[in-house]
Amino acid sequence: MLFSTHSVGTLTLKNRIIMAPMCMYSAGSDGKATDWHVIHYATRAIGQVGLVIIEATGVEPGGRISNRDLGLWEDGQIAPFSKIVKAVHEAGGKVAAQLNHSGRKSGVPDVIPIAPSAVAYSDKFPTPKALSADEIGQVIEWFQSAAIRAVKAGVDAIQIHGAHGYLLNQFLSPLSNFRDDSYGGSIENRARLLGEVVAAVRGVIPSDMPVSVRVSAYDYEPGGNTPESVAAMINAVKNTGIIAVNVSSGAVTPTVPPSYPGYQIGFASFIKEQTGLPVVGGGLITEPSQAEQIIKSGIDFVFLGRELLRSPYWPLRAARELGREIDWPAPYERAK
């Protein structure tokens, strides 16, 4: 089943293997993609990954995780970004852009970070500025404008990053959101910004282009989000245009998750059951048999991260080990 075709809306992928977005810290300080990015992502498409999700891409300069992250906050970044997309397409893959704002976890020098509340991520980070209602509107516009640029660059899908303790996740989690206005408190209020961002993005991209969200399903701290609360928040905003959920966990605080192969799959199964949406699950998956079993259990797609850094042609090995005949890139047929 790992190598069966599967669709998300009108986008059909040749297999269920997805490359998780992983920051390369290799962009120029101007946020523009480099030859490194083109080679890095195209290599995984040559290896037959079904969907490549490009690393967290900043929607404004201060919203990057570091000053070496990709950006789509100005038009001059479109052409370099499009080189990644073109290379992945030429290698037979599909590609999504992950749009992000780091919020209080910004690592850009000399930036006053922003957040739902003026509470620092840790004592190693500065205290952020709590966003006003008008400034929240600006955040929505940043995501919207970045989505327009991603479409111009030729991507097949958009992912909104609502996980790993970045700005949208900071609004979702009661461990970082202490607001008493319409963006804080209840599940519906904490989910409001995510829904408004998705709706704004949905309104400016092709009607058939999939929009997914990545969420942290568990905060690993008392009083934090749980799979139950995250599923409820997704249900509160899924009618804004969310077509799939990429399920991760943790990182809204410095608490380290107890990780092991497949540790997030239970979260993905629960969210699929509660929301009715297709899900992408993963977490330290290394072996083809693990990935196959995950798909057989009902998860729609499996994401691989670090294993694809170690082994960019992992799908070719996986197909052999699972006894599945797949096409190899013609120049590599002699190695099959």
Side-chain angles (χ1 to χ4, degrees), residues 5-307:
T5 59
H6 201 55
S7 297
V8 181
T10 59
L11 179 64
T12 300
L13 304 183
K14 61 187 174 185
N15 59 47
R16 311 293 190 97
I17 303 166
I18 291 181
M19 180 181 183
M22 294 173 282
C23 290
M24 292 291 101
Y25 308 112
S26 299
S29 59
D30 57 5
K32 293 181 179 179
T34 65
D35 288 346
W36 167 267
H37 296 95
V38 177
I39 295 167
H40 169 67
Y41 290 110
T43 299
R44 277 70 193 174
I46 291 170
Q48 301 304 295
V49 166
L51 176 68
V52 170
I53 305 180
I54 297 175
E55 64 202 78
T57 299
V59 298
E60 65 102 2
R64 291 171 290 169
I65 301 164
S66 81
N67 65 346
R68 297 298 305 278
D69 290 349
L70 292 177
L72 279 175
W73 66 78
E74 58 98 4
D75 289 350
Q77 295 159 335
I78 297 172
F81 199 93
S82 70
K83 291 181 181 179
I84 302 173
V85 178
K86 183 173 183 288
V88 171
H89 284 164
E90 288 180 348
K94 301 294 185 181
V95 59
Q98 187 193 62
L99 304 181
N100 184 48
H101 195 293
S102 57
R104 69 178 187 174
K105 292 178 78 173
S106 174
V108 179
D110 303 319
V111 163
I112 299 173
I114 58 176
S117 304
V119 179
Y121 172 69
S122 74
D123 58 9
K124 297 180 180 179
F125 284 76
T127 300
K129 178 186 183 298
L131 288 163
S132 68
D134 288 344
E135 289 167 334
I136 288 173
Q138 178 65 72
V139 168
I140 296 168
E141 291 177 11
W142 286 334
F143 275 93
Q144 188 178 52
S145 296
I148 292 171
R149 296 185 183 100
V151 171
K152 289 180 178 178
V155 301
D156 302 296
I158 300 286
Q159 182 172 99
I160 304 300
H161 200 347
H164 299 167
Y166 301 123
L167 184 60
L168 298 183
N169 190 188
Q170 291 159 30
F171 273 85
L172 294 173
S173 176
L175 299 179
S176 49
N177 184 345
F178 303 98
R179 301 177 73 95
D180 58 6
D181 63 1
S182 61
Y183 290 95
S186 68
I187 278 176
E188 292 76 15
N189 284 357
R190 298 202 315 273
R192 189 179 307 279
L193 179 56
L194 175 62
E196 290 177 346
V197 166
V198 172
V201 167
R202 178 78 275 160
V204 295
I205 66 174
S207 59
D208 60 347
M209 180 174 284
V211 176
S212 67
V213 297
R214 196 172 204 195
V215 298
S216 283
Y218 193 47
D219 284 344
Y220 299 101
E221 279 197 27
N225 276 331
T226 64
E228 290 79 7
S229 60
V230 172
M233 285 188 280
I234 293 168
N235 280 332
V237 299
K238 67 182 181 182
N239 63 355
T240 58
I242 298 171
I243 203 166
V245 185
N246 190 315
V247 182
S248 190
S249 64
V252 79
T253 69
T255 298
V256 179
S259 57
Y260 52 86
Y263 70 104
Q264 298 168 142
I265 296 303
F267 301 152
S269 294
F270 181 84
I271 286 176
K272 178 174 183 175
E273 176 187 332
Q274 294 296 310
T275 67
L277 292 171
V279 293
V280 185
L284 302 184
I285 304 302
T286 60
E287 297 305 314
S289 58
Q290 294 172 324
E292 176 73 5
Q293 188 57 44
I294 288 166
I295 298 300
K296 285 182 176 179
S297 75
I299 302 298
D300 296 275
F301 301 94
V302 175
F303 69 79
L304 279 80
R306 278 167 273 192
E307 184 61 19

